[in-house]
Amino acid sequence: QKISPTATPSASAGGRAPHGFPELDFRSGARMEDLNRLIQEFSKHDQREYDDQRALEIHTAKDFIFSMLGMVQKLDQKLPVANEYLLLSGGVREGVVDMDLDELSVYARGTDYDMDFTLLVPALKLHDRNQPVTLDMRHSALCHSWLSLRLFDEGTINKWKDCCTIVDHINGATNYFFSPTLVADWFYQSISLVLLEVQKKPQRGMPRVEKVERNGTIISVILGVGSSRMLYDIVPVVSFKGWPAVAQSWLMENHFWDGKITEEEVISGFYLVPACSFKGRKENEWRLSFARSEVQLKKCISSSLMQAYQACKAIIIKLLSRPKAISPYHLRSMMLWACDRLPANYLAQDDFSAHFLLGLIDDLQHCLVNKMCPNYFIPQCNMLEHLSDETAMLHARKLSSVRSDPAEHLRTTIEHAKAANRLTMELQWRGSANNLPSPQSDAGGENQPDDRLAKKLQQLVTENPGKSISVFINPDDVTRPHFRIDDKFF
């Protein structure tokens, strides 16, 4: 018997239907309470608690990355002086930003890194309403655009000319198109140069640069601090204030976040990220990204649905990795559509994680069979239309095996999370045995790193759960950053 979304606690809390039978999943025969328990266990291993030492190591790495970007700006003044980065928890491989790249190296948590982040760094920051901008969507698939610098001032064009593809028109005018691949080339060279310089004069407590790698248009940096290894996927982007016309109709619809957060918070800005469509020109085509809005929407998603999403994501990343067809970003879009489709009081049920997990798998299978996954912000853009029938059906069949035995797939996922944590713990144990320097190990000394920024950030993160925090750093004086939390400055 189906439990209604508003079932009384006595009927559903223990996973029992009103007749006293345990509530079962019709397809697999699994007990819902067993699946709920497995999802809880996965969350426990996946979301590790940080002690003070780990928190300080995370902030030391973040400090180092921000200082490095300040130095990149000083190299040739290309980056905006007062820049604003968006830091997302989870790497590009985790689907935190919509970039389906073929050239991503496979990194594994526990083996290659312990924590991962994505940092969106604006190469151009178009926040001035009087600045004319030409998004040229004539040559691109939906959700994509070329960016013309034709209307920009001479200074900007001269500064970025070497990162543009040039198209001459019949009337003799020259059009400069900002090139994602050329910008990524410049960014990788600049970061490599700065890191080389920094490593020539190492200071005590400074992170170890364990890897700097170009992955398509992303620069992946792995830093070691104490016994922690942090992966940063650094993405050069173009940042806009406001909202693009192509997504205007989405604002007219009713959404699950209505009344929970303001429209101003949701449409405060968008990005162009360096990702090409299936048939587009890599050197010219950017993808519209609503990462800033997604940070806000995440606040409105219940913890039980988020747990189901994380568990489902862990299952599909392993299962559907070859041939590449589905990214965690597709799953995130389906979750947002589900939030619009289903009643809020149903999605708020604490003990419904199992229902949500099975529902997400069903949704994903449905999308594959129909080769249809609309972008949440631009629904007319189907993110799966390029898939071959053969690939779509292969993945749909793999998901069918998950749906037949979700408990077994959850157990495998839990074992993977435990193994990754064990590897991390072993490294930490070996590190402390070998006395690896940690950011706290500097007792005085003239090169003692300034951890005031780290402590300030830590305090702001603790006091403002769920809020979007940006750090502004003046590259000429990195000792005095200021912070923006949502729209307030500190």
Side-chain angles (χ1 to χ4, degrees):
Q1 177 169 340
K2 183 166 169 41
I3 296 176
S4 77
T6 52
T8 59
S10 59
S12 70
R16 291 194 170 274
H19 295 302
F21 296 113
E23 197 193 350
L24 302 178
D25 167 33
F26 187 94
R27 174 77 193 89
S28 67
R31 289 165 62 125
M32 286 299 198
E33 60 183 318
D34 291 346
L35 293 178
N36 270 331
R37 198 173 60 248
L38 288 167
I39 293 168
Q40 293 295 329
E41 190 181 345
F42 169 75
S43 296
K44 190 181 77 187
H45 294 295
D46 191 49
Q47 305 292 321
R48 291 138 303 146
E49 291 297 310
Y50 308 139
D51 56 17
D52 289 348
Q53 176 68 20
R54 173 59 67 89
L56 187 60
E57 288 169 356
I58 291 167
H59 291 306
T60 303
K62 205 182 295 184
D63 264 7
F64 179 80
I65 292 284
F66 287 157
S67 300
M68 176 200 76
L69 290 168
M71 291 161 82
V72 167
Q73 198 281 337
K74 287 173 107 166
L75 275 182
D76 53 11
Q77 268 76 49
K78 272 187 161 79
L79 291 181
V81 174
N83 215 351
E84 186 179 343
Y85 317 128
L86 183 67
L87 182 65
L88 303 168
S89 183
V92 168
R93 292 156 194 77
E94 295 266 304
V96 295
V97 70
D98 188 5
M99 293 181 73
D100 219 6
L101 299 175
D102 299 325
E103 309 97 326
L104 275 180
S105 306
V106 179
Y107 297 151
R109 184 158 76 77
T111 310
D112 301 300
Y113 66 92
D114 308 311
M115 322 251 340
D116 53 343
F117 301 95
T118 299
L119 189 64
L120 304 189
V121 179
L124 281 178
K125 195 170 132 215
L126 307 176
H127 290 190
D128 181 356
R129 291 194 178 280
N130 303 318
Q131 195 167 20
V133 174
T134 318
L135 282 184
D136 189 340
M137 298 183 175
R138 294 170 302 173
H139 324 278
S140 306
L142 266 165
C143 272
H144 293 81
S145 181
W146 293 18
L147 176 64
S148 167
L149 298 191
R150 194 167 49 89
L151 300 176
F152 282 69
D153 60 276
E154 243 359 77
T156 305
I157 291 175
N158 287 332
K159 198 188 286 183
W160 285 108
K161 202 182 279 185
D162 56 344
C163 292
C164 290
T165 56
I166 296 169
V167 179
D168 289 318
H169 284 292
I170 306 160
N171 62 6
T174 302
N175 206 345
Y176 295 96
F177 286 104
F178 204 46
S179 166
T181 50
L182 293 175
V183 169
D185 286 344
W186 162 80
F187 206 35
Y188 175 63
Q189 286 158 10
S190 301
I191 285 177
S192 303
L193 196 66
V194 164
L195 288 177
L196 266 174
E197 281 303 305
V198 166
Q199 284 169 296
K200 281 180 192 167
K201 296 181 286 223
Q203 298 184 353
R204 285 185 67 193
M206 192 177 85
R208 306 176 302 281
V209 180
E210 298 192 353
K211 187 175 282 188
V212 185
E213 198 166 80
R214 170 90 186 267
N215 284 289
T217 48
I218 291 166
I219 293 89
S220 297
V221 179
I222 295 181
L223 298 176
V225 189
S227 55
S228 303
R229 295 156 303 165
M230 259 69 83
L231 165 63
Y232 271 85
D233 282 330
I234 303 175
V235 187
V237 298
V238 182
S239 171
F240 293 85
K241 271 273 181 278
W243 200 246
V246 69
Q248 206 65 40
S249 60
W250 177 79
L251 292 175
M252 306 301 140
E253 309 292 329
N254 292 325
H255 296 290
F256 73 98
W257 48 266
D258 291 338
K260 294 177 183 167
I261 49 176
T262 65
E263 191 172 280
E264 285 67 37
E265 287 174 283
V266 175
I267 64 167
S268 63
F270 67 101
Y271 296 100
L272 294 182
V273 295
C276 185
S277 64
F278 192 61
K279 291 184 182 150
R281 281 178 58 177
K282 276 189 172 177
E283 68 275 18
N284 281 350
E285 195 169 89
W286 299 80
R287 186 175 183 101
L288 275 83
S289 165
F290 300 93
R292 192 190 280 269
S293 306
E294 287 160 10
V295 168
Q296 301 295 336
L297 298 186
K298 198 175 167 188
K299 300 174 190 173
C300 306
I301 296 173
S302 73
S303 60
S304 47
L305 178 55
M306 275 314 288
Q307 284 183 343
Y309 162 74
Q310 296 292 358
C312 189
K313 183 171 77 167
I315 291 169
I316 67 158
I317 281 180
K318 295 271 187 297
L319 189 76
L320 307 185
S321 58
R322 293 282 177 271
K324 193 154 172 42
I326 287 285
S327 82
Y329 192 82
H330 292 107
L331 186 65
R332 183 198 283 242
S333 303
M334 287 168 214
M335 175 174 66
L336 292 171
W337 283 119
C339 290
D340 273 356
R341 184 177 71 238
L342 294 159
N345 61 349
Y346 170 71
L347 293 173
Q349 297 285 319
D350 280 344
D351 55 348
F352 270 37
S353 291
H355 296 76
F356 303 152
L357 172 70
L358 299 175
L360 286 169
I361 296 168
D362 289 341
D363 261 8
L364 198 49
Q365 205 174 0
H366 175 84
C367 288
L368 280 164
V369 168
N370 294 288
K371 288 203 303 188
M372 187 69 184
C373 179
N375 181 288
Y376 183 65
F377 298 93
I378 304 176
Q380 58 274 35
C381 167
N382 173 14
M383 300 191 293
L384 292 182
E385 70 179 343
H386 63 275
L387 269 197
S388 70
D389 291 353
E390 188 187 8
T391 301
M393 287 317 294
L394 171 70
H395 284 322
R397 280 198 292 274
K398 287 183 186 174
L399 279 176
S400 178
S401 74
V402 177
R403 195 61 190 80
S404 302
D405 195 352
E408 185 51 39
H409 283 84
L410 275 169
R411 285 188 202 101
T412 305
T413 306
I414 289 165
E415 286 312 311
H416 281 248
K418 279 182 178 173
N421 288 343
R422 265 198 307 275
L423 283 167
T424 296
M425 294 301 288
E426 279 169 25
L427 187 86
Q428 284 187 307
W429 182 80
R430 282 207 306 274
S432 57
N434 299 336
N435 235 347
L436 268 177
S438 82
Q440 285 179 323
S441 66
D442 271 344
E446 59 190 27
N447 288 332
Q448 186 168 355
D450 181 359
D451 63 356
R452 281 172 301 181
L453 174 62
K455 285 184 174 145
K456 176 75 173 161
L457 255 178
Q458 198 170 353
Q459 181 192 347
L460 290 175
V461 169
T462 310
E463 290 171 2
N464 297 277
K467 294 201 172 165
S468 168
I469 299 178
S470 304
V471 182
F472 297 74
I473 292 183
N474 175 351
D476 295 320
D477 179 12
V478 293
T479 60
R480 296 179 57 227
H482 65 275
F483 301 85
R484 192 183 79 165
I485 297 182
D486 289 345
D487 286 322
K488 295 196 178 69
F489 286 92
F490 291 83

